[in-house]
Amino acid sequence: MRKQLTGEPVAGKPHTGFGGRGRQSPFPTPYPDNAICILRALWRPRGMLLRSQGRQVQHMQKALTQMNVQLANVISDVVGETGQKILRAIVAGERDGQVLAAMKDARIRASHAEIAKSLQGNWRTEHLFSLQQALAMFDFIGTQVAECDREIEEQLRALQTYDDEPPEGKKKARTRNAPKFDLRTQLFKMCGVDLTRIDGINVTTAIAVISETGSDMSRFPTVGHFTSWLGLCPGTKITGGKVMSGKTKQVANRAAQALKLAVAALRSSQSALGAYFRRMCARMDKPKAVTAAAHKLARLIYMMLTKGEEYTDQGQDYYEERYRERVLRQLAQRAEKMGMRLVPGEIVTS
């Protein structure tokens, strides 16, 4: 008799699909329609190109360091306006530090003399060649990213289902790696809601999530199914009625990764979500707090896409007051169970 292989369907039993070895999936694995698959196939390679472009920036910095050119000490970003002017002038043959320092933008804090001093290198030929190669590859990848952006814009136009314009909201700083076209408007015309109104969610995070899940949330019966698919909900490992572990399951989900990266913007946000994230950081370690905040962002996205309602931030003070009321209510309930009553006291100021 032939041995049954691991993972092979057994005759007479239904195939377990994506549920895992030996168990049935609680709900069918959601698969977006063809138009969303096209958008996803365009957005994923764009991220790969940006990572490749970042490696070329590291090669530029390495070549400068090997030539003893300490440009990074006075200019934090070598691919900014000033850094690009100086690098391209070096590749073109300019070696005079005073001439190169004159190319600095008015926003650069370092003085003209400091920049000129940092540009006194040995200018070895092999390192100049490495710098030239990295800069050329950086430009080539930039053209490929621009081509991806054009295809993504065309696909978003094909997915438009609404003709309205997004309402005015808080102005957010434009990220460097965001597409050059009006991505916020295109996403609004596709989804019918402005996901960037949620604190921490910018246009790149919004399209990263939408390209993986689509704007139709009907494939997820509840918000719990959605967060479980993302791998952001607590685990339910229970034995004999006792919770053994609440650790979230390990999944490779790009939408969840985008949400976790977006949580970093909530650290200093004076919003209700920012206050929630800081409270989570005080209660638990940082990775768990990031997962909890990403879970809340995922729930807000689901509610906006299913109900078609815009998100309105109530502010940090509103969240703190609601939290205070919840704590007082819990204390009053505990006191009542012990036969006591919670009485507010007077604040004594010295």
Side-chain angles (χ1 to χ4, degrees):
M1 181 178 178
R2 187 174 66 88
K3 183 180 179 181
Q4 184 72 27
L5 300 178
T6 303
E8 184 179 3
V10 180
K13 293 184 179 181
H15 184 54
T16 55
F18 294 94
R21 185 177 63 186
R23 62 176 188 269
Q24 188 75 23
S25 176
F27 57 92
T29 299
Y31 194 79
D33 55 21
N34 185 60
I36 298 298
C37 290
I38 296 175
L39 179 63
R40 181 177 62 186
L42 293 172
W43 184 255
R44 285 183 178 181
R46 187 183 187 275
M48 180 187 65
L49 290 173
L50 291 176
R51 289 190 293 271
S52 300
Q53 200 174 40
R55 286 192 289 270
Q56 299 308 316
V57 175
Q58 294 176 338
H59 294 331
M60 296 180 203
Q61 295 172 335
K62 182 65 175 179
L64 292 174
T65 302
Q66 290 178 325
M67 290 187 294
N68 199 29
V69 177
Q70 305 300 326
L71 184 62
N73 293 341
V74 291
I75 298 177
S76 59
D77 188 8
V78 296
V79 293
E81 182 178 352
T82 301
Q84 284 293 288
K85 287 181 179 179
I86 293 177
L87 290 181
R88 297 182 188 280
I90 291 174
V91 171
E94 183 61 56
R95 302 291 182 266
D96 190 347
Q98 299 295 331
V99 176
L100 295 173
M103 301 177 183
K104 86 179 189 73
D105 189 84
R107 293 170 293 180
I108 300 296
R109 296 183 179 181
S111 64
H112 185 281
E114 291 174 341
I115 297 178
K117 185 178 180 180
S118 67
L119 292 170
Q120 296 176 1
N122 52 38
W123 310 115
R124 293 178 64 92
T125 306
E126 63 273 18
H127 299 321
L128 286 170
F129 177 76
S130 299
L131 177 63
Q132 181 182 3
Q133 292 286 301
L135 190 59
M137 184 60 69
F138 179 85
D139 293 339
F140 173 70
I141 297 175
T143 59
Q144 290 187 313
V145 172
E147 292 176 3
C148 281
D149 289 347
R150 286 192 291 269
E151 292 294 328
I152 291 171
E153 185 177 11
E154 290 297 325
Q155 185 61 22
L156 286 174
R157 288 177 178 174
L159 289 169
Q160 288 183 6
T161 55
Y162 301 90
D163 296 329
D164 299 335
E165 295 291 329
E168 292 293 334
K170 294 186 295 183
K171 293 185 178 180
K172 297 185 178 181
R174 181 182 175 277
T175 57
R176 172 188 298 168
N177 294 327
K180 298 298 187 291
F181 61 91
D182 191 358
L183 181 56
R184 175 173 173 263
T185 300
Q186 296 292 342
L187 287 174
F188 180 82
K189 291 183 177 181
M190 173 185 171
C191 303
V193 290
D194 186 10
L195 297 179
T196 61
R197 292 177 65 92
I198 303 175
D199 292 276
I201 303 286
N202 54 24
V203 289
T204 55
T205 304
I207 191 174
V209 175
I210 293 301
S211 64
E212 297 293 329
T213 64
S215 58
D216 183 12
M217 294 285 110
S218 61
R219 292 181 295 274
F220 303 99
T222 63
V223 64
H225 288 81
F226 179 59
T227 55
S228 177
W229 178 75
L230 290 172
L232 296 176
C233 64
T236 55
K237 185 178 180 181
I238 303 175
T239 300
K242 180 180 180 181
V243 178
M244 304 300 295
S245 175
K247 184 179 180 180
T248 57
K249 62 181 180 179
Q250 298 295 326
V251 295
N253 194 299
R254 297 172 188 261
Q257 293 173 0
L259 291 175
K260 288 182 179 180
L261 290 175
V263 170
L266 299 177
R267 183 66 181 179
S268 58
S269 175
Q270 301 300 315
S271 61
L273 287 171
Y276 172 80
F277 177 55
R278 288 188 291 273
R279 186 169 69 87
M280 290 294 103
C281 289
R283 285 180 51 189
M284 58 190 69
D285 57 356
K286 188 68 173 290
K288 292 181 180 179
V290 170
T291 301
H295 176 263
K296 184 170 284 288
L297 292 178
R299 296 180 69 91
L300 290 174
I301 291 175
Y302 181 89
M303 293 302 177
M304 290 180 66
L305 292 176
T306 52
K307 296 184 178 181
E309 300 176 355
E310 293 290 348
Y311 171 74
T312 302
D313 178 47
Q314 301 292 341
Q316 178 179 353
D317 295 336
Y318 174 80
Y319 174 81
E320 296 293 349
E321 181 62 27
R322 288 287 303 275
Y323 175 67
R324 180 177 179 275
E325 293 175 357
R326 186 164 62 251
V327 171
L328 290 176
R329 185 168 59 252
Q330 293 172 353
L331 289 175
Q333 292 174 355
R334 293 178 61 184
E336 185 178 357
K337 289 181 180 179
M338 294 189 296
M340 293 183 288
R341 184 165 54 93
L342 198 65
V343 178
E346 296 182 358
I347 300 177
V348 180
T349 58
S350 55

